[in-house]
Structure formats: structure tokens, C-alpha cells
Amino acid sequence: QVQLVESGGGLVQAGGSLRLSCAASGRTFSDYAVGWFRQTPGKEREFVAAITSTGGITSYADSVKGRFTISTDNAKNTRYLQMNSLKPEDTAVYLCAASWTRTMIPRQRPGLYDYWGQGTQVTVSS
């Protein structure tokens, strides 16, 4: 079992930046693939970014490519999502997810993840 806690969300103006953190407890995080997703009311959970446990291979949704960066700090048992050049359409609850796997293919589907955090709200004003 691993417990995930997101932090770093908030209110920011368009063009601004935020860094989200996904801190893990309970197990060593280095063997877990991690994904970031976002959700808005009435819409399905949307893939944002993912990173593999093996090789640190990353994948991004087209809508965030070039603006968002997912990264790892195994010493802190934490994954990050650096979000730059934010747009109002990035407004959502952002959730991190994890699964114990050594696949080298980043996981983009929510159903492939076993553990989820509670989410952190990101609001981008125009």
C-alpha cells in the first residue's frame, strides 16, 4: 500500500506557473509508475503526464506538451508536475496516481493505476 498526497495547487493568473507535488508514504516510491490527471465537473478524468519507474520515461498530453514537466525526487519519495504558461483551460482538480510496475511504457489510462491522491485544485484566471 502507498498513500499519496498532492499539494501545490492554488489560484494563478494566466501565463503564470505552479509546481504540484505528489508525496508518497508507506512504500518506497522509486518502483512506482506515476501519472498526473485532471478533472473538471461533468467531465471524465483527463490524462496530463506520466513517468515510468524504470528509466524515467515521460509522456504528456498534447494540450500540455512543452508547458508541463513531470519529474522525480526519489530521495524525497515525491513526484512533481511543473506547470508553466498556464491557461484558463488548465483549471481543474489535479490528481496523482501510482502503480507498482517496472514497465517502460508511460501509463496514460486511469484504470491502470492502483493508488490515487485526493487531488489539489488549480485555478487559472484570465
Side-chain angles (χ1 to χ4, degrees):
Q1 284 277 357
V2 64
Q3 293 78 42
L4 306 176
V5 178
E6 302 96 333
S7 61
L11 174 63
V12 64
Q13 287 189 333
S17 298
L18 285 173
R19 188 178 76 160
L20 304 184
S21 299
C22 176
S25 62
R27 296 288 296 271
T28 301
F29 211 17
S30 59
D31 289 335
Y32 285 77
V34 171
W36 284 96
F37 295 81
R38 62 189 182 187
Q39 192 157 25
T40 54
K43 292 188 177 180
E44 292 187 356
R45 197 162 288 185
E46 177 189 13
F47 168 74
V48 175
I51 188 165
T52 62
S53 59
T54 303
I57 300 166
T58 59
S59 176
Y60 298 92
D62 288 342
S63 59
V64 307
K65 205 170 289 184
R67 300 188 296 123
F68 291 12
T69 304
I70 188 171
S71 62
T72 293
D73 188 337
N74 285 328
K76 295 183 178 180
N77 249 16
T78 300
R79 301 290 184 273
Y80 300 98
L81 184 67
Q82 178 67 43
M83 306 187 297
N84 299 329
S85 302
L86 283 161
K87 305 175 181 180
E89 51 264 43
D90 294 319
T91 295
V93 174
Y94 283 72
L95 306 102
C96 70
S99 61
W100 192 94
T101 176
R102 293 180 178 173
T103 180
M104 295 183 72
I105 302 172
R107 295 184 157 186
Q108 299 185 359
R109 288 192 288 129
L112 294 176
Y113 290 93
D114 301 309
Y115 305 100
W116 290 84
Q118 82 290 347
T120 185
Q121 177 70 46
V122 171
T123 303
V124 184
S125 62
S126 57

